[in-house]
Amino acid sequence: MEHWAPLELDPASAGAGAGPRGLVEHLRASDDLGDLLVKHKALVFRGFHVTQEELGEVMDLLLPNRLAYVHGNSPRTKVGNNVYTSTEYPPQYDISMHNEMSYAHQWPARLLFFCAVAPETGGATPVVDGVRWLGSLDPEVREAFRQGVRYTQNLHGGKGFGKSWQDTFETSDRAEVEEFLAGSGSEFTWKPDGGLRVSQVRPSTTRHPVTGDEVWFNQADQWHAAGLGDETAAALQQIMPEEDLPQSVTFADGSPIPAHHVTQIRDRGLSEAVNVDWRTGDLLLIDNVAVGHGRRSFTGPRRILVAMSD
């Protein structure tokens, strides 16, 4: 399979004026952005020196209908109108490849990342072609996942390990949460301590709505203790049983997923990925079905913002 990488656009290659205004005018005049994204799967905008103050106008053009991060499992802070910090996971760790909210009944079609502050070292956003990721896995792994996976979340009620259900669903209204979960086909139970347990079965692959390409599309390696590394997994097992962790995953029938399957998925996704290194003012637009993304470890004050749309 031939090498794949995101398409990089700067003022010269785009035939646009330098600076944020040049990017805005270019995007307003473009009528093929959707086709370009389908063809290249990810687009990097460099050299336009966008600032956070000018970000809103750019986002309105790249993400026509920004979505809230409802039912998201990553630690984030909301910083604007459906704009979030990309993650608050500790900087010394890589984040493995994943498609945003592939565990949920609905997921965003597009993600836009914006570099407000570039890291001192490291901190790239690796991106992986989902077709290549699927093809890199051993046939026995693909076959094992054929029936899909079951994700389980334990969300506390305001104090505890992991995320609260209030933060996860951006509401403190139980009725709102119940309506959302009932519409998603999830099973859920309110706990006596005020927490919430949610379980849902989802497929392991999906097909791109335009190209029809089958891609690897699940977060089993991120939800499985083995994906955290041997030491962390062993420490968690000492604290609580796996079914009580903030998040866990099994095969759809409830049988355990072997750890070696999980590490193969994680490692091959990262090895197939292409790093997008950041400079302050850069933007990265990705097709969230065609492409998985992650994060490399870093030093310094890295600040990446993210927004998503349907």
Side-chain angles (χ1 to χ4, degrees):
M1 192 178 293
E2 66 182 65
H3 176 72
W4 170 84
L7 176 67
E8 291 198 8
L9 296 166
D10 59 19
S13 63
R21 183 49 46 189
L23 178 57
V24 167
E25 291 172 356
H26 171 71
L27 293 174
R28 281 185 176 154
S30 299
D31 56 8
D32 63 347
L33 181 68
D35 294 339
L36 198 65
L37 186 59
V38 168
K39 178 181 179 180
H40 293 281
K41 306 182 182 183
L43 307 174
V44 180
F45 299 92
R46 292 199 191 279
F48 292 98
H49 306 294
V50 176
T51 67
Q52 195 165 333
E53 290 70 32
E54 295 147 332
L55 181 61
E57 193 171 5
V58 175
M59 280 190 170
D60 289 343
L61 294 165
L62 292 173
L63 304 178
N65 182 33
R66 289 208 294 277
L67 303 173
Y69 187 59
V70 174
H71 203 182
N73 70 319
S74 179
R76 305 181 189 273
T77 299
K78 195 169 187 175
V79 297
N81 179 22
N82 291 342
V83 180
Y84 302 82
T85 56
S86 62
T87 185
E88 290 164 10
Y89 198 63
Q92 64 269 34
Y93 300 112
D94 285 348
I95 296 176
S96 60
M97 309 310 295
H98 61 286
N99 303 79
E100 198 65 44
M101 298 182 70
S102 59
Y103 53 83
H105 77 295
Q106 288 184 315
W107 48 80
R110 294 181 182 182
L111 301 181
L112 179 67
F113 298 90
F114 166 69
C115 181
V117 179
E120 289 178 11
T121 65
T125 293
V127 287
V128 63
D129 182 331
V131 174
R132 294 182 66 95
W133 193 4
L134 175 62
S136 74
L137 302 175
D138 291 350
E140 66 171 300
V141 173
R142 297 198 298 270
E143 178 61 29
F145 277 83
R146 183 189 296 275
Q147 301 305 317
V149 296
R150 177 178 290 276
Y151 301 100
T152 299
Q153 287 173 291
N154 290 294
L155 303 167
H156 63 76
K159 188 177 182 180
F161 190 34
K163 290 186 74 176
S164 70
W165 61 264
Q166 293 95 331
D167 284 342
T168 298
F169 296 99
E170 295 193 1
T171 181
S172 57
D173 186 333
R174 287 193 178 203
E176 261 186 65
V177 175
E178 290 176 0
E179 181 180 6
F180 177 91
L181 291 174
S184 73
S186 300
E187 302 166 15
F188 61 93
T189 305
W190 292 103
K191 297 181 175 182
D193 63 2
L196 175 65
R197 182 181 177 89
V198 181
S199 181
Q200 51 198 333
V201 174
R202 300 288 180 241
S204 60
T205 67
T206 194
R207 290 195 176 273
H208 192 277
V210 178
T211 67
D213 290 338
E214 185 179 15
V215 297
W216 188 249
F217 198 76
N218 68 83
Q219 286 175 237
D221 64 306
Q222 289 198 324
W223 286 57
H224 196 290
L228 301 172
D230 293 341
E231 290 184 11
T232 304
L236 286 173
Q237 287 175 347
Q238 297 296 317
I239 297 171
M240 61 182 69
E242 188 169 336
E243 63 269 19
D244 290 335
L245 291 171
Q247 57 189 43
S248 60
V249 65
T250 64
F251 288 124
D253 62 3
S255 60
I257 298 173
H260 64 275
H261 284 1
V262 171
T263 53
Q264 180 182 132
I265 293 163
R266 179 197 64 198
D267 294 347
R268 293 191 184 172
L270 283 165
S271 68
E272 290 287 338
V274 176
N275 284 341
V276 175
D277 293 307
W278 289 111
R279 301 170 200 158
T280 299
D282 286 353
L283 299 112
L284 166 65
L285 181 68
I286 69 173
D287 181 320
N288 185 46
V289 174
V291 170
H293 67 280
R295 189 203 69 189
R296 301 294 186 183
S297 62
F298 65 94
T299 64
R302 181 184 190 271
R303 180 174 173 82
I304 307 294
L305 303 182
V306 65
M308 53 202 82
S309 74
D310 53 14

